[in-house]
Amino acid sequence: MNTASGHVDTIEDARARLGMWVFLASEIMFFGPVFLAYLYGRHAWPEAFEAASRSTDFWLGTINTAVLLSSSLFVAIALLLAQRGDLRPARRSLDVVVLLGAVFLLIKGWEYRQDWLQGLVPGRAGFHVEHAANQAAAQLFYFIYFFATLLHAVHMAIGIGLMLYCRGKLAGPKGRNSVRRLEICGLYWHFVDIVWIFLFPALYLAGRAS
Amino acid sequence: MKTLILTWIALMVLLCITAFGSLLPLGPANAILNAAIAAAKAVLVAMFFMHLRHGIALIRIAAVVALVMLSLLFILSGADFLTRHIQHSAWQGRGSDLSTESVRKAVNNY
Amino acid sequence: MNIGRAAPPRTMPDGSSSSYLHDGYTLWSWLTSRDHKRIAILYALSITAFFFIGAVAAALMRLELVTPAADFVDADTYNRLFTAHGVIMVWMFLIPSIPSVFGNFVLPLMIGARDLAFPRLNLLSWYLYAFGGLFTIAALMLGGVDTGWTFYTPYSSVFSNTHVILTLAGVLIVGFSSILTGLNFIVTVHTLRAPGMGWMRMPLFVWAIYATSVILVLATPVLAITLLLLAAERVLHIGLFNPALGGDPLLFQHLFWFYSHPAVYIMVLPAMGVASEIIPCFARRPVFGYRFMAFAIIGIAVISFLVWGHHMFVSGQSVYASMVFSVLSFTVAVPSAIKVFNWTATLYKGSITFSAPMLYALGFVVLFLQGGLTGLFLASLAVDVHVTDTYFVVAHFHYIMVGGAVMAYLGAVHYWWPKITGRLYSEAWARTAALIIFAGFNLTFFPQYLLGYEGMPRRYHSYPDHFQALNVLSSGGAALLALGYLLPVAYLLWSLRRGARAPSNPWRASGLEWTTPSPPPQHNFDRPPDGSKPPYDYPPIGSTQK
């Protein structure tokens, strides 16, 4: 089977690809219940969840989404270049991916710091969300917020590690395995991006218009 | 390469629509629009960045099966949550009094 | 068909060993092996150890229940005992048992492959299992947990003062082990079958392991995230599952049972696969209705995801949702029944030998049928309100899990023992043990149906006097069952040293695994075998051939 780049698939490629997609299926089932918990909260405490959602940082969230979507572009470009045999440009592209990933985590860290200073960390004494009649339910929102974004951040960190690993392998003796590895790790990266695509509107955009 | 750039442009456009659209007071349509746009973005990433478009059917089946299972979780649990009248009691998540000790006391005295 | 010559261990002219057992004798060679056969044995040893730990917990419980009064252990200890029993038996024994031991050992041989798709991942799976097991043992030694294996909130998240998080960590890690194992099997079955082996030529055991693997991959992550949420809540005192803080205990139950119901099919589908291998062999007939058997396996796996709410009929779930789950729960009986009919039809005019594996397989069918029928009692809303949380439920699931899955596991152990070890065990002792286990099992668990129906609640260590007679019967049966379980340990171990050497096909069975020597060489097959022969190559149903 030829992909768009003219790269010819082997049976090992197909096996590895299937293995990663099965793993991603399990990851869909891993993140999914967090969204169920969110939907429960939104259903049971709509005003509190919307008020808490308004207290997240709209701009940092939107910028982070753009950063992550762009990083996915560069992963796809890196794979295309590597399949064509242009290994140095592929490595450059991966550099951009790692940079964007790091930017994402830095922005997230900054957001967490802001949340801490503004009393939005659940379980601490000074927790307060503006205009939320039910502070306990607002705490629930922030529990889900921190749980989901921390879980996502851990996956991002693993993704960055994988990209660095792939970049290192591309620099070594050229082999089919390096390109296969990049494709597999790229699939993981795109999946983590997709999780954020759903987390962003859920956590940042609810109730903004009120 | 061109496909990838076009996909990225589409993703950015959708991001602008969803982010700034949420600032407009559209009522329940806000949530529906945001969910639809998120789904569209996910499909774009899956089809063009993850090459699901020219993958073998088995890969697409794997992705779809997981999504179907997740939907079942949502739908059948939803059947419970949406048809259950939840009556919250007075001490449940009381107003602004948040310390866990006070809630524990309330629960134990209840 | 060809029985084949015995293969005594020897070194080949090129220096390679003739069997996987002799391919390196050091502990290191075993602990770093990527060979699916060695990893299967690592699993077999670890799950057996856990089985006996879980059995000791059960023995202590049954000892307490001999008398109505709480005179052996106190309530708190009893809670820890039944929790330990549940956690260990479900996650450390039953879920890995047939897939991780026999799926690992036999599946590649059955499809004509040299190993699984990802051998190193397989070894990682075992290490995760062992590591998770250590956490569980640590929690046990520190005093255990008293929440029940179901960890219901808000007791487990707020009020329990036991080592919940340690136990959750153990279960979480073991869960990841099983996800990776399922992944490995799925890719293996899709990509490593011998030339000519289409899906409709695979042995039903492979179908069963495949369906089990799909459930493992899709359901276990939900458990993982739920336990993680529970742990976070316990540490942070936030209330996702705590009604006092705005949460909902039913949210936990939905998430928990979304995994735990398919989990029971993870335990029973491989057992069905084993029965579908043993019964045709010892009836000398191909399995009746192969296609329906294969589709029934898939049907069971799919429907298993739709029925979890039947564990929550009295928890406060809405009546509407309960009705939906009740109807769906009835439908899962259909493919299960098809399988029972087909196993029975396979026996028709067969040339039946009541060997030890056959005794276990037939015992499986009878006891699974019983347990399955009582499942229908529990799926009926009105009856369930009466018998839920009583010993009726306890009897129901033990009929499936012990009468079903454990008997099938022992059947698999006996059926594939010659292949795995290259030795034959004593048939007389094996048949005796099988009969003792069958008798002991029924004596232990049938009285529990009656106890439950008459109202004895589960998880209680003391009870009204008039329940004593049935409890004494049950505890007596447990003693017999314990004897039955100890016998195989003795004669199987004895066979390792003194048993006759096994030929490659002692049962004259059909299947690619029987074309290799007993025990097989490290690389399984010298050449990819021909997979185009039909499975179950026995005289056709209705024939008078022996």
Side-chain angles (χ1 to χ4, degrees), chain B residues 9-95:
Chain B
I9 293 175
L11 287 169
M12 289 295 130
V13 166
L14 286 171
L15 175 60
C16 288
I17 298 177
T18 195
F20 298 112
S22 67
L23 300 172
L24 305 169
L26 302 169
N30 273 123
I32 299 173
L33 183 67
N34 286 342
I37 291 179
K41 282 197 264 174
V43 166
L44 282 173
V45 171
M47 284 288 167
F48 295 100
F49 288 168
M50 296 171 95
H51 300 301
L52 211 49
R53 207 166 42 121
H54 26 250
I56 57 174
L58 181 58
I59 305 282
R60 283 196 287 271
I61 291 175
V64 166
V65 166
L67 288 171
V68 166
M69 281 309 158
L70 196 60
S71 322
L72 285 172
L73 172 64
F74 282 32
I75 292 171
L76 285 173
S77 306
D80 173 34
F81 286 116
L82 294 173
T83 56
R84 205 176 0 130
H85 176 64
I86 300 175
Q87 195 137 28
H88 296 121
S89 50
W91 46 257
Q92 234 181 316
R94 218 190 278 139

Side-chain angles (χ1 to χ4, degrees), chain A residues 97-112:
Chain A
V97 171
V98 170
L99 184 68
L100 289 174
V103 165
F104 178 92
L105 288 178
L106 284 170
I107 293 179
K108 203 84 211 78
W110 178 258
E111 261 189 279
Y112 285 159

Side-chain angles (χ1 to χ4, degrees), chain A residues 2-184:
Chain A
N2 291 355
T3 62
S5 63
H7 162 90
V8 178
D9 250 6
T10 64
I11 187 75
E12 286 88 13
D13 288 341
R15 199 173 296 149
R17 194 177 298 132
L18 177 61
M20 178 47 85
W21 272 102
V22 171
F23 178 69
L24 293 182
S26 81
E27 287 271 56
I28 291 175
M29 299 307 290
F30 189 62
F31 275 98
V34 182
F35 286 97
L36 182 69
Y38 169 81
L39 285 174
Y40 157 74
R42 191 92 189 260
H43 165 74
W45 312 102
E47 307 85 14
F49 262 57
E50 288 188 4
S53 199
R54 275 197 294 280
S55 66
T56 59
D57 193 319
F58 175 87
W59 283 107
L60 289 184
T62 307
I63 292 171
N64 249 355
T65 311
V67 164
L68 212 48
L69 289 172
S70 309
S71 72
S72 264
L73 169 69
F74 282 97
V75 169
I77 289 177
L79 181 63
L80 185 65
L81 293 170
Q83 283 172 340
R84 281 189 196 157
D86 300 331
L87 295 185
R88 179 171 264 124
R91 289 202 299 275
R92 287 282 116 73
S93 203
L94 285 180
D95 288 337
V96 177
V97 171
V98 170
L99 184 68
L100 289 174
V103 165
F104 178 92
L105 288 178
L106 284 170
I107 293 179
K108 203 84 211 78
W110 178 258
E111 261 189 279
Y112 285 159
R113 183 177 174 276
Q114 296 295 94
D115 293 328
W116 180 275
L117 294 173
Q118 288 167 12
L120 294 173
V121 173
R124 295 182 70 233
F127 181 89
H128 184 77
V129 165
E130 299 271 313
H131 309 301
N134 190 332
Q135 290 294 322
Q139 263 208 35
L140 266 185
F141 171 88
Y142 268 99
F143 172 72
I144 295 175
Y145 167 87
F146 277 101
F147 187 89
T149 55
L150 275 170
L151 196 61
H152 179 265
V154 166
H155 281 75
M156 277 294 296
I158 294 173
I160 293 176
L162 288 174
M163 287 299 139
L164 285 169
Y165 169 73
C166 286
R167 192 199 178 288
K169 283 289 172 186
L170 280 179
K174 182 186 186 321
R176 294 199 54 85
N177 283 351
S178 310
V179 181
R180 180 185 318 142
R181 247 163 257 205
L182 178 58
E183 183 192 349
I184 301 307

